[in-house]
Amino acid sequence: TSTSTSTRPVAFPCQVPNNALLYGIAASSAGASVVQFSFNGASWSSSTVGPIIHPNIAVSSSNPNGMAFDTVSGLIFFATFGGNRNSSLYSFNVNTAAIVQYGVLGGQAGSGAFRDGSFWYIEQRRDTLHRVYLDVTRQVVVNDTIIVNVTGGAKQLDFGDMDFGLDGRLYWLARVTVGTAGTEVGREFGAYDLNTNTYTVVNALGVGSNYGQLALGANGVFYNSNGGLLTSIASNGGISATLATTAAVTDLASVICPFVVTTTSTSTST
């Protein structure tokens, strides 16, 4: 009798090769809403999911912000943004538009991504990566932990947006700024590998360039939204021609599982 065991990676069902589904926050002083952008392999379409209305959220052209989608709970998470205050984290139910306040974060979140049951953000005008542990059942922030300075403390990043890639690395679009006033000196498409603790500048562009909000499509393509112009970003950081004109958004979120699980199968022969 012999027994053999094999292990294989299995893509999550929300990875669809020729499609993309993104969420965004369209915000102005008149109000805010969650919007959806979808690509069917041939063309883009957009729709409004629901309004963002909560007594503790003072909506502006940059608030709310820091958006991420949890494919397990089906909840969108976003953060308040503005002033010198730490952000508060909220959830948004895409089916009911119900909003729940989870708690206050340890810093200000102008970016957001979701992975391994946690909300992640890089603190505004710093380079500190935070992992926020959540209890979705009790609807609370359990802990906000600083993981690493992604540039080794060398840069001050002003977001922009971030998301995890299919390779497991964290990617971001950010303005590189200096001083307490946040004077922009350039923009970058950066990456950080949490396994090897390696920071990489994938591409650096000049002041005011077309790097804005970032999300990964289920087709494995990174998308960038800046001023309502939706583009894609190549692996070298190059920006495509405009793919669609949409509502301007403060942040984008992927509707995708940007990693794979592993299954193990065992067979026995006699």
Side-chain angles (χ1 to χ4, degrees):
T1 301
S2 64
T3 301
S4 63
T5 301
S6 62
T7 302
R8 63 188 180 90
V10 178
F12 277 68
C14 49
Q15 291 179 349
V16 184
N18 297 317
N19 291 262
L21 180 61
L22 313 174
Y23 284 119
I25 296 176
S28 69
S29 58
S33 59
V34 173
V35 293
Q36 176 181 290
F37 307 131
S38 58
F39 180 63
N40 62 8
S43 61
W44 286 89
S45 61
S46 62
S47 60
T48 299
V49 180
I52 297 176
I53 301 174
H54 192 280
N56 295 336
I57 301 175
V59 173
S60 71
S61 60
S62 61
N63 182 37
N65 214 303
M67 187 185 204
F69 182 74
D70 175 16
T71 56
V72 176
S73 67
L75 295 172
I76 288 172
F77 289 90
F78 65 84
T80 55
F81 180 80
N84 296 316
R85 299 179 301 276
N86 287 5
S87 296
S88 290
L89 189 70
Y90 294 78
S91 69
F92 177 95
N93 188 307
V94 296
N95 295 313
T96 65
I99 296 173
V100 176
Q101 185 173 2
Y102 271 56
V104 179
L105 302 180
Q108 191 171 88
S111 60
F114 208 93
R115 179 171 136 170
D116 297 335
S118 298
F119 177 83
W120 302 68
Y121 70 98
I122 297 177
E123 195 168 346
Q124 188 72 355
R125 291 188 184 169
R126 297 187 180 182
D127 71 337
T128 48
L129 174 64
H130 292 240
R131 179 176 183 176
V132 182
Y133 296 86
L134 304 173
D135 186 329
V136 177
T137 301
R138 294 192 298 127
Q139 300 177 322
V140 294
V141 169
V142 176
N143 190 27
D144 183 332
T145 302
I146 294 177
I147 302 300
V148 70
N149 293 82
V150 293
T151 74
K155 292 180 181 177
Q156 177 175 288
L157 302 176
D158 197 332
F159 287 84
D161 203 0
M162 60 184 243
D163 205 352
F164 286 97
L166 290 176
D167 60 2
R169 292 196 297 172
L170 177 67
Y171 290 83
W172 61 82
L173 299 177
R175 293 179 292 276
V176 180
T177 63
V178 295
T180 56
T183 302
E184 183 180 344
V185 295
R187 298 193 183 191
E188 74 174 40
F189 181 39
Y192 190 83
D193 191 320
L194 287 162
N195 293 318
T196 63
N197 296 318
T198 304
Y199 162 55
T200 304
V201 178
V202 181
N203 193 28
L205 294 178
V207 174
S209 58
N210 192 29
Y211 275 166
Q213 310 304 320
L214 181 71
L216 183 73
N219 51 10
V221 175
F222 273 118
Y223 291 99
N224 166 50
S225 178
N226 192 29
L229 300 179
L230 187 68
T231 58
S232 63
I233 298 181
S235 58
N236 64 359
I239 303 171
S240 74
T242 299
L243 302 173
T245 301
T246 68
V249 295
T250 61
D251 215 82
L252 277 182
S254 301
V255 184
I256 183 178
C257 306
F259 44 85
V260 295
V261 291
T262 301
T263 61
T264 300
S265 60
T266 302
S267 61
T268 303
S269 61
T270 301

